[in-house]
Amino acid sequence: MTFYSQNGLYVLLLLIVVFLIKGRVKDLSKYFTDDMHKKIFIGKNQKKIKLVFLILSFICLVFALARPVVKKEPIKIKQPSVTLIVAFDISKSMLAKDLYPNRLTFAKNKFPYLLNLLKNEKVGVIGFSSKAFLVSPITSDYATAKYLVKNMKLGYVNTKGTSLLEALKGVEIISEKEEKKAVIFFTDGSDNENFSEEIAFAKEHKIKVFVYGIGTEKGSVIEDGGELLEDSNQNIVITKLNENIKELTAKTDGAYLNSSNANDDLKPFVDDIRAKFEAKNKEEVTINQNEELFYIPLIAGMLFFALGIFGLGRR
């Protein structure tokens, strides 16, 4: 038998302090009210018995806090391990309102539904426009990732242009230890017509690209600071969903989906990623079989405490 928190046993040294104080202080009545003194001390014998019970209670509770365990041989198993990177397009075009309330908020609202479809997968999150930045490192803590994405404010959208190549470089940086990577882009597809650079980079670094197209073919104007965004010729900009990005997904063994209001429309992505990764990617996990025994001294401590307070009977 051993203890998980062995340092907790040092609390027993407080008993020495108690006995030192007890040896110096003969009259304890001045430290308690009359009513409390009568409840704690009833007769000479009762006083000694209660003190013993309270000391035993204290010792038992300290042992419970130290968490005694019976050590057993740990089991090592291999379980499927998939690392998924989610990349949010935060360029100006994501402020378009052809999806309610706008493209970026629509994408952020999809993220919790994606997490609900996951099980053992680890998730990392980046945001990108002309540059990429980290929102959440790779983690199994879905609640934290959900919180960080929810609080990714529209004020972060302060750069023009969309560079999927920069986003792919960000994916490579935060998942460089992974042999193969999968990324789900929430984007309107950028203004690119040719994705040859992105395709070459994704293939070189073994990144499978999945794109969830945010936007409509009809498109929408972009409202920025209460004004409509204009180009260099002072023409009002209308941004549309760029489905040319399908080429990037097709040539990197990924997939493409158009946005919808269904809560489970991302399920094909998750199923496809699992099918392509889980059979090969496995990590060794150690499962401890140690048997915790803290409840034994805890129960004993509570019983001794009750006896110390209420006594064995009335006089």
Side-chain angles (χ1 to χ4, degrees):
M1 189 179 74
T2 185
F3 296 90
Y4 273 138
S5 306
Q6 296 182 12
N7 291 338
L9 296 175
Y10 288 120
V11 180
L12 292 174
L13 295 175
L14 288 175
L15 285 175
I16 299 175
V17 178
V18 171
F19 282 111
L20 288 175
I21 293 174
K22 184 178 180 297
R24 293 187 179 186
V25 180
K26 301 299 183 182
D27 184 12
L28 296 175
S29 60
K30 62 181 180 180
Y31 294 99
F32 301 95
T33 63
D34 291 340
D35 290 340
M36 183 59 69
H37 192 271
K38 291 178 181 178
K39 290 179 180 179
I40 297 176
F41 304 109
I42 306 175
K44 292 183 179 180
N45 292 332
Q46 286 276 354
K47 182 191 300 185
K48 292 180 181 179
I49 293 173
K50 286 190 173 186
L51 179 61
V52 170
F53 282 143
L54 290 175
I55 291 174
L56 289 174
S57 172
F58 177 78
I59 293 172
C60 288
L61 293 176
V62 170
F63 272 90
L65 289 172
R67 293 178 64 190
V69 294
V70 175
K71 276 198 167 183
K72 295 183 179 180
E73 193 69 26
I75 298 176
K76 292 185 178 181
I77 62 171
K78 286 189 176 182
Q79 68 177 20
S81 173
V82 178
T83 297
L84 173 64
I85 309 300
V86 180
F88 287 92
D89 186 344
I90 58 166
S91 61
K92 292 285 186 181
S93 62
M94 294 296 285
L95 291 173
K97 297 183 178 181
D98 49 354
L99 293 177
Y100 181 81
N102 59 52
R103 293 177 182 177
L104 180 57
T105 304
F106 183 91
K108 288 166 57 179
N109 290 341
K110 279 289 177 180
F111 187 63
Y113 294 112
L114 172 62
L115 294 181
N116 289 340
L117 296 170
L118 304 181
K119 295 179 180 178
N120 299 319
E121 292 81 4
K122 297 177 182 177
V123 177
V125 183
I126 64 172
F128 71 95
S129 52
S130 58
K131 297 290 183 182
F133 72 92
L134 181 67
V135 176
S136 170
I138 294 173
T139 179
S140 299
D141 185 354
Y142 295 167
T144 299
K146 188 186 299 183
Y147 174 82
L148 292 171
V149 169
K150 180 181 179 181
N151 290 277
M152 187 172 62
K153 303 296 183 183
L154 290 176
Y156 292 174
V157 185
N158 54 12
T159 56
K160 294 182 179 180
T162 305
S163 175
L164 290 166
L165 182 59
E166 287 297 319
L168 288 170
K169 289 178 180 177
V171 171
E172 172 59 22
I173 289 172
I174 69 171
S175 61
E176 60 180 348
K177 294 181 180 179
E178 304 295 327
E179 182 181 353
K180 294 182 179 181
K181 303 101 177 175
V183 56
I184 295 180
F185 280 108
F186 286 92
T187 179
D188 54 19
S190 77
D191 297 326
N192 291 13
E193 293 185 3
N194 186 295
F195 293 91
S196 56
E197 284 187 271
E198 289 83 355
I199 293 169
F201 185 91
K203 285 184 175 181
E204 179 185 353
H205 296 279
K206 299 180 180 179
I207 303 174
K208 297 185 187 297
V209 179
F210 296 78
V211 173
Y212 188 77
I214 304 288
T216 61
E217 293 182 4
K218 182 179 179 180
S220 172
V221 296
I222 303 171
E223 187 176 332
D224 183 20
E227 297 182 357
L228 299 181
L229 193 66
E230 298 178 347
D231 60 18
S232 57
N233 296 321
Q234 294 186 331
N235 296 317
I236 294 176
V237 174
I238 296 179
T239 174
K240 301 178 181 180
L241 176 64
N242 181 13
E243 293 190 339
N244 291 329
I245 199 172
K246 289 180 180 179
E247 179 188 9
L248 174 59
T249 63
K251 293 187 177 180
T252 58
D253 195 22
Y256 177 88
L257 281 174
N258 278 323
S259 59
S260 76
N261 291 318
N263 294 337
D264 60 348
D265 57 347
L266 287 161
K267 190 175 186 300
F269 277 176
V270 176
D271 292 341
D272 195 14
I273 291 169
R274 284 178 180 153
K276 291 173 178 176
F277 283 80
E278 283 195 349
K280 297 179 181 179
N281 288 14
K282 292 188 177 182
E283 64 178 2
E284 190 172 75
V285 178
T286 300
I287 300 177
N288 291 319
Q289 299 189 95
N290 297 339
E291 183 181 356
E292 294 235 23
L293 302 175
F294 70 91
Y295 58 90
I296 297 176
L298 179 61
I299 293 172
M302 293 172 68
L303 289 173
F304 285 133
F305 182 77
L307 291 171
I309 293 298
F310 300 110
L312 294 173
R314 291 180 176 271
R315 281 197 170 187

